[in-house]
Amino acid sequence: MIKAALFDVFGTCVDWRSGVADFVHPFLNDRGLKPNLAEQITDEWRKQYDPSMARVRDGERSYVTLDIIQLENLDTVLERLGVSKSFTAEDRKQLNEAWEHLPAWPDTVGALANLKQELPIAACSNGSKPMMERLASHAGLSWSMICGADTGKNFKPHRDVYLNSCKAMGTKPAETIMVACHADDLDAAAAFGLKTAYFPRPTEWGTAAFEPEQNSDRFDFSAATLSTLIDDILKHT
């Protein structure tokens, strides 16, 4: 029986791409920079995400929060795009708050509220606890608890993130389900004993070509939408 649910957040629950781009646009306008740079900054910033966290997972760097890593990544991106001199240190600090001002996908808030009526739900993100708390407040995400990277002192897909999150929820891995639109996140959770639930977010990367997961039957639950997925999970609580 499922007794608790963990959720990936970026991409699964919130639309990071349009959210970050919309947040960046006013900064570009104020500096006379081309508006299309917003999407370039957003995509390049996101591409830095996994490689920068891998250094922590691989033991090359001690754990630091995603807030710190994303600010470092922003410096790299602005330099590569040749606009570094247009942004002060304070500008960059404010830009980094984009990841706390993302919109929930239209189906997220209602689906989370429905599931929360039956069992505790928690964010299991690579974002820090303060970041997740501010994002939840902005996007209306009704978590019972914030777990994830700060709980495991590492980044997904490291085992400590999943297992320590289960401990924080007071459940065994087999009693806990991980919900995500990213198959690699779920594969890792399954390897550590958690149940898994998959659904696609076709527009996570905007208009980029989307290839749905071809082997979704390896997950305990899979559906075309989050709402349908939650309905299926509720039948097993």
Side-chain angles (χ1 to χ4, degrees):
M1 182 176 290
I2 299 169
K3 296 184 179 180
L6 300 173
F7 281 78
D8 173 59
V9 178
F10 297 124
T12 297
C13 295
V14 297
D15 179 0
W16 60 263
R17 190 175 188 273
S18 67
V20 172
D22 287 347
F23 195 89
V24 170
H25 269 298
F27 287 83
L28 301 178
N29 291 337
D30 290 347
R31 289 154 185 79
L33 298 172
K34 295 180 179 179
N36 65 354
L37 267 176
E39 284 70 29
Q40 288 182 265
I41 290 172
T42 299
D43 289 343
E44 291 304 314
W45 204 353
R46 181 61 177 79
K47 289 175 183 177
Q48 297 293 317
Y49 184 77
D50 285 326
S52 59
M53 291 185 297
R55 294 182 56 210
V56 175
R57 290 194 299 265
D58 295 342
E60 297 176 14
R61 180 179 187 178
S62 298
Y63 176 73
V64 294
T65 65
L66 185 62
D67 316 55
I68 294 172
I69 287 177
Q70 288 291 62
L71 186 57
E72 295 171 350
N73 291 342
L74 177 61
D75 289 341
T76 299
V77 169
L78 295 179
E79 186 68 33
R80 286 182 179 177
L81 293 177
V83 294
S84 181
K85 293 181 179 179
S86 297
F87 298 92
T88 66
E90 182 59 28
D91 293 336
R92 296 163 196 239
K93 182 179 178 181
Q94 291 179 23
L95 277 171
N96 204 36
E97 295 175 4
W99 298 94
E100 302 170 2
H101 292 80
L102 307 176
W105 294 105
D107 58 353
T108 297
V109 174
L112 292 182
N114 288 341
L115 187 57
K116 190 180 179 183
Q117 292 180 29
E118 300 299 327
L119 49 80
I121 61 174
C124 186
S125 170
N126 285 323
S128 67
K129 184 175 181 181
M131 177 191 284
M132 287 295 102
E133 289 173 343
R134 291 189 285 267
L135 178 56
S137 178
H138 174 81
L141 309 179
S142 55
W143 305 122
S144 306
M145 185 180 297
I146 306 291
C147 297
D150 277 0
T151 303
K153 298 302 179 188
N154 214 313
F155 296 112
K156 295 186 295 181
H158 194 278
R159 67 189 303 274
D160 288 350
V161 179
Y162 303 101
L163 298 183
N164 285 12
S165 292
C166 291
K167 289 180 182 178
M169 296 291 283
T171 55
K172 298 176 182 178
E175 301 171 333
T176 311
I177 190 163
M178 181 72 199
V179 183
C181 68
H182 305 126
D184 55 350
D185 196 352
L186 297 178
D187 286 336
F192 305 125
L194 283 74
K195 290 183 170 62
T196 55
Y198 169 82
F199 73 104
R201 285 292 189 199
T203 59
E204 180 185 359
W205 284 85
T207 58
F210 171 75
E211 295 185 8
E213 178 57 41
Q214 297 299 316
N215 188 26
S216 60
D217 59 349
R218 70 183 185 275
F219 306 121
D220 295 293
F221 299 86
S222 63
T225 68
L226 176 59
S227 297
T228 302
L229 189 67
I230 295 303
D231 288 342
D232 290 345
I233 294 173
L234 283 170
K235 296 174 184 177
H236 294 80
T237 58

